[in-house]
Amino acid sequence: MITLTNSAIAAIEFALSQASEPANGLRIKVEAGGCAGFKYHLGLDSESREGDAVIEAGGVKVFIDSASQPHVGGMTLDFTTGVNSPGFVFDNPNARENCACGKSFG
């Protein structure tokens, strides 16, 4: 469903190791909003929920709820430490347009 780069895997591992509450994976959710129509919401989660797709790569898990799955199929999740915009980068073939911030799409 999605591909994680080595940089994304390392960032997720680091976030999990620093979590204040027990967490076993990263949850990706697509919500209405943002300047292009949809936005990505990321957070740590302790377990999958009913209907979730669970992607395992490099020893980390990513949980994607059923409503978000059609929006992220084929996406590559990367992580950059660049000065201008550090953070997760979404290469999403389902996005017809992207916001300049890189965190929302249409």
Side-chain angles (χ1 to χ4, degrees):
M1 170 169 291
I2 69 169
T3 302
L4 303 175
T5 66
N6 289 337
S7 295
I9 291 169
I12 295 167
E13 287 175 333
F14 179 76
L16 291 170
S17 73
Q18 300 297 308
S20 59
E21 295 185 23
N24 293 318
L26 176 73
R27 178 165 295 281
I28 299 175
K29 183 174 179 135
V30 174
E31 300 175 331
C35 37
F38 293 101
K39 62 183 177 179
Y40 300 104
H41 178 76
L42 303 177
L44 299 180
D45 207 337
S46 59
E47 60 187 38
S48 65
R49 300 177 191 156
E50 186 175 337
D52 279 353
V54 180
I55 289 73
E56 294 189 47
V60 299
K61 293 180 184 178
V62 176
F63 308 121
I64 306 168
D65 66 276
S66 60
S68 300
Q69 292 170 23
H71 298 289
V72 299
M75 180 176 80
T76 297
L77 182 62
D78 194 10
F79 188 85
T80 182
T81 56
V83 175
N84 292 332
S85 59
F88 285 101
V89 177
F90 306 89
D91 182 7
N92 190 342
N94 303 297
R96 294 181 308 277
E97 61 180 308
N98 290 303
C99 179
C101 71
K103 306 298 181 204
S104 69
F105 66 100

